[in-house]
Amino acid sequence: MKIFFVIYFFLLSNLLFAQLEVIKKQELPVIKAIGSNYKFVHLSEKGLFLMLESEESLRNSKREVLFTKYDTALNRLWSGFISIKYASVMQQHCLDNNDLYYLIYREEFEYDILKINLETGLMEIVPFEKIMDLKITGFEAAQGVLFLGGMVDNMPVVLQYDYKNSSVPKVLSSIFQVKANLNALVIDQKRESVCVFMTEKNNTNPDLYFNVYDLEGKLINKWIKKSSDEQAFLTFKMFAPNSQEQYLFGTYALGNRSKAQGFYVNRFFNKEESYVYFYDFSYLNNFFNYLGEKRKNNMFEKIKKRQNKGKTFIHDQQLFLHDLVFGEDKIYLTAESYTSSVQDNSTNSAYPSSLANSNLIYRGMSGLRSYQPYSSLFSTPSRRQNFVYRYKNSVVCGFDKTGKLLWDNSFEFENLNYPQLMPILQTGFQQDSITMLHLQDKKILFKQTKNSFAIDSLQKFEPKLIAEGEDLKDSEDENIDFWYGNYFLMHGIQDIKDEEKQQRRKVFYLAKIGKTNAKKEEK
């Protein structure tokens, strides 16, 4: 027992007093003619890639797209630009080692592909010949081979494009005849194969289709997972350690219900299902923390009574899943629970001021995190402006590499409403220690946990993002997300007045946020 308290005190002394600080801020002037349509890709320890799509119309109905690569100290490494047609949109991106590929939408079914070497800044347009009316919704790359997926005549199609050795993309076999929706293109972690994952159309409890190809486009394996009458898979996050092994993580419902009962992990090996684990929300230690201690205890009493009668307590939860995060020997899954309701269109007062008028939506690709406006998504979402989503809490689960649940923790929200579904909680993982935070009312709310235990209570940090003698007149589109290690990246638009010089400037800023007890880097 003494040893336990010594260990706990050691953890407490190292984590409890960790605070946040602004390590460095980088400002970029907002020029009215060019605009502030910034997008960025986190490159972990390799830095940050920033893109600005100019709104200024040039000759021949073109506009510029500006690129900048930063190191982790927010020092600029290189810059460059290209010119594209004014109506074109930088649509999707994928990362292949040191090469970043962008899919550029020109017009319906017409695309260009831009390749950027992140080390040198060298840019080139990859020729892409249209061979069918394909609306691209999936874009991945491995070892210089591109995979582009989408729908043709309401049927799934995936192209393999080895542009270094062929000028014409190749249609992957055994896909077009499947009556399914293309859910994901997943490159395995050895970067030797791609798994095409599809779900049956027009079914709330769909069959699942898996096709695995090598990088030359040869079919290695294919199989179907038939739906079950007992559990219905609602959401899917997939990863593949290699060409023979695939995992699905997500939420499931009981029977044909439409809301979640818990999490599942499904493993496949050599086209056979190995096992599926179901984790009812009642099994988690912290899922219901948002209820408060009294209501949580009442909830578990109700669950226990149902179980004693041999019955299952129905949860019917709505969850939004983040992309999976991979550690050395663990897999982390984060999800927000929420409710939705109708909101009067005449006001958006229910939304945080920083995002009330924002057009930002989150997309995760190839394990990266980026923010892109609605206009640049591969499909135009239904903008249900009369709905508001009230976020209750985030749950964070740690699994081993076989999908066994090791621990869970949670972060509770108060008065948090957004006009769209998006990841809210940002998490930094160091084995079983987690830093959890989010931005609300210009303050960073954060806490730290270890396994299923809270190390400290909720703390608030208001970052100082202007210098002495300056006055912040306005800010918009502010947000924060995980970058790497112990560091997070805050960003947004600021209108700043220098009181002494009586000058104002409008800037897009990047601010590196870290723990005060983290290892210091050169600024």
Side-chain angles (χ1 to χ4, degrees):
M1 184 64 70
K2 285 185 177 180
I3 294 176
F4 171 80
F5 283 115
V6 169
I7 293 174
Y8 185 79
F9 179 78
F10 176 78
L11 290 172
L12 210 60
S13 62
N14 279 275
L15 294 173
L16 179 59
F17 302 108
Q19 299 295 318
L20 298 180
E21 64 175 337
V22 179
I23 295 174
K24 186 172 182 179
K25 181 189 178 189
Q26 182 73 257
E27 291 186 357
L28 300 169
V30 173
I31 301 171
K32 187 175 181 180
I34 296 176
S36 57
N37 189 15
Y38 284 98
K39 306 168 190 176
F40 51 85
V41 178
H42 301 279
L43 303 173
S44 297
E45 287 81 1
K46 292 183 179 180
L48 181 73
F49 179 81
L50 186 68
M51 177 178 70
L52 171 61
E53 289 189 78
S54 174
E55 298 174 4
E56 185 178 22
S57 179
L58 305 176
R59 297 179 184 179
N60 302 321
S61 298
K62 290 191 173 184
R63 62 192 177 104
E64 289 184 341
V65 182
L66 313 173
F67 305 101
T68 307
K69 168 77 179 298
Y70 294 92
D71 63 16
T72 55
L74 290 180
N75 297 313
R76 189 177 68 176
L77 299 178
W78 56 260
S79 296
F81 72 93
I82 62 167
S83 295
I84 62 174
K85 290 185 178 180
Y86 192 83
S88 296
V89 176
M90 305 294 288
Q91 181 173 287
Q92 297 185 62
H93 68 265
C94 61
L95 187 66
D96 184 20
N97 294 321
N98 287 322
D99 293 324
L100 182 64
Y101 292 91
Y102 268 98
L103 186 68
I104 306 175
Y105 175 89
R106 285 193 287 137
E107 55 186 78
E108 189 175 24
F109 310 127
E110 298 280 352
Y111 302 89
D112 290 322
I113 298 173
L114 173 66
K115 176 185 176 182
I116 305 173
N117 185 284
L118 293 171
E119 292 293 325
T120 64
L122 181 65
M123 289 176 266
E124 61 175 303
I125 295 293
V126 176
F128 181 64
E129 179 181 337
K130 172 188 170 184
I131 61 172
M132 59 179 65
D133 290 343
L134 175 66
K135 183 178 182 180
I136 298 174
T137 59
F139 183 50
E140 294 293 342
Q143 299 187 35
V145 180
L146 303 174
F147 294 90
L148 305 97
M151 304 296 284
V152 175
D153 295 331
N154 210 30
M155 301 294 284
V157 172
V158 177
L159 305 180
Q160 181 262 16
Y161 186 23
D162 186 0
Y163 65 90
K164 296 178 182 177
N165 298 305
S166 175
S167 60
V168 181
K170 177 169 59 177
V171 179
L172 296 184
S173 63
S174 302
I175 293 178
F176 186 74
Q177 64 267 35
V178 178
K179 294 182 179 180
N181 294 310
L182 181 64
N183 188 286
L185 303 177
V186 180
I187 304 296
D188 77 60
Q189 293 184 328
K190 291 186 176 181
R191 308 196 71 76
E192 296 175 346
S193 67
V194 59
C195 181
V196 179
F197 173 51
M198 297 166 285
T199 54
E200 181 186 10
K201 282 186 177 180
N202 304 320
N203 195 336
T204 56
N205 186 10
D207 292 343
L208 311 180
Y209 300 87
F210 302 82
N211 286 23
V212 182
Y213 302 84
D214 64 19
L215 298 188
E216 294 180 354
K218 178 183 177 182
L219 182 64
I220 301 173
N221 273 324
K222 62 177 292 189
W223 69 96
I224 301 173
K225 176 182 170 61
K226 291 291 186 179
S227 60
S228 166
D229 292 334
E230 295 181 1
Q231 295 95 9
F233 288 2
L234 299 178
T235 57
F236 313 91
K237 291 295 179 180
M238 182 179 179
F239 91 98
N242 52 65
S243 61
Q244 299 296 315
E245 188 178 14
Q246 293 79 29
Y247 288 82
L248 279 181
F249 287 69
T251 54
Y252 73 94
L254 296 179
N256 288 316
R257 303 182 78 88
S258 61
K259 296 182 181 180
Q261 180 70 16
F263 295 112
Y264 72 86
V265 180
N266 200 179
R267 180 183 186 260
F268 303 88
F269 184 79
N270 196 21
K271 71 181 183 182
E272 297 290 337
E273 182 176 81
S274 301
Y275 52 76
V276 57
Y277 297 138
F278 292 101
Y279 300 105
D280 189 289
F281 293 136
S282 304
Y283 180 77
L284 304 183
N285 293 309
N286 296 288
F287 185 88
F288 297 103
N289 286 359
Y290 69 92
L291 294 173
E293 196 64 28
K294 184 176 180 180
R295 292 176 62 201
K296 178 182 175 180
N297 291 336
N298 290 338
M299 169 70 76
F300 278 111
E301 283 296 324
K302 293 178 182 178
I303 292 171
K304 187 176 179 179
K305 287 180 181 179
R306 292 284 294 177
Q307 291 174 341
N308 289 339
K309 294 179 181 179
K311 298 180 179 180
T312 300
F313 186 90
I314 304 299
H315 292 299
D316 278 352
Q317 295 281 339
Q318 293 176 286
L319 281 91
F320 179 90
L321 268 61
H322 296 218
D323 292 331
L324 297 173
V325 176
F326 303 97
E328 290 183 9
D329 59 352
K330 292 182 178 63
I331 301 168
Y332 306 103
L333 174 64
T334 302
E336 269 85 38
S337 66
Y338 66 91
T339 59
S340 58
S341 60
V342 176
Q343 174 73 13
D344 185 355
N345 285 340
S346 64
T347 176
N348 57 11
S349 60
Y351 312 145
S353 59
S354 61
L355 283 179
N357 300 303
S358 173
N359 66 345
L360 296 180
I361 187 169
Y362 174 94
R363 297 191 58 215
M365 295 179 146
S366 303
L368 305 175
R369 297 175 178 180
S370 67
Y371 286 85
Q372 301 187 2
Y374 274 119
S375 60
S376 69
L377 293 176
F378 53 75
S379 60
T380 304
S382 174
R383 299 196 66 177
R384 295 179 290 182
Q385 295 178 346
N386 60 328
F387 270 77
V388 60
Y389 299 95
R390 183 178 71 84
Y391 290 86
K392 298 184 294 185
N393 73 325
S394 284
V395 59
V396 183
C397 296
F399 300 86
D400 67 16
K401 284 298 180 72
T402 70
K404 291 182 179 178
L405 181 65
L406 301 174
W407 48 259
D408 69 273
N409 225 302
S410 68
F411 191 105
E412 293 70 50
F413 302 121
E414 289 187 14
N415 303 318
L416 191 62
N417 304 282
Y418 282 157
Q420 62 213 25
L421 288 174
M422 60 189 293
I424 303 300
L425 188 70
Q426 298 301 313
T427 49
F429 298 98
Q430 290 188 324
Q431 289 298 319
D432 295 320
S433 298
I434 320 170
T435 300
M436 300 188 282
L437 57 78
H438 80 101
L439 184 69
Q440 186 173 357
D441 298 328
K442 302 188 184 303
K443 295 182 178 66
I444 299 173
L445 282 66
F446 71 101
K447 72 175 183 179
Q448 297 171 98
T449 64
K450 177 76 172 180
N451 295 325
S452 291
F453 303 99
I455 298 298
D456 58 10
S457 58
L458 183 68
Q459 300 181 64
K460 295 182 180 181
F461 170 67
E462 188 166 3
K464 184 174 176 57
L465 296 170
I466 56 174
E468 294 295 334
E470 293 183 336
D471 183 20
L472 181 61
K473 293 297 183 181
D474 191 21
S475 61
E476 57 185 286
D477 288 348
E478 290 188 303
N479 217 326
I480 188 170
D481 54 357
F482 174 73
W483 189 359
Y484 71 97
N486 282 313
Y487 302 101
F488 295 79
L489 188 74
M490 191 169 172
H491 52 91
I493 307 293
Q494 290 181 324
D495 185 0
I496 302 171
K497 181 179 179 180
D498 187 316
E499 297 289 2
E500 182 178 349
K501 298 179 180 179
Q502 290 297 298
Q503 295 176 345
R504 290 181 72 159
R505 67 184 188 276
K506 190 173 185 179
V507 299
F508 172 81
Y509 76 89
L510 299 166
K512 183 177 182 178
I513 309 292
K515 296 180 184 178
T516 54
N517 66 348
K519 182 179 178 180
K520 298 296 182 180
E521 299 181 34
E522 290 186 10
K523 298 182 179 181

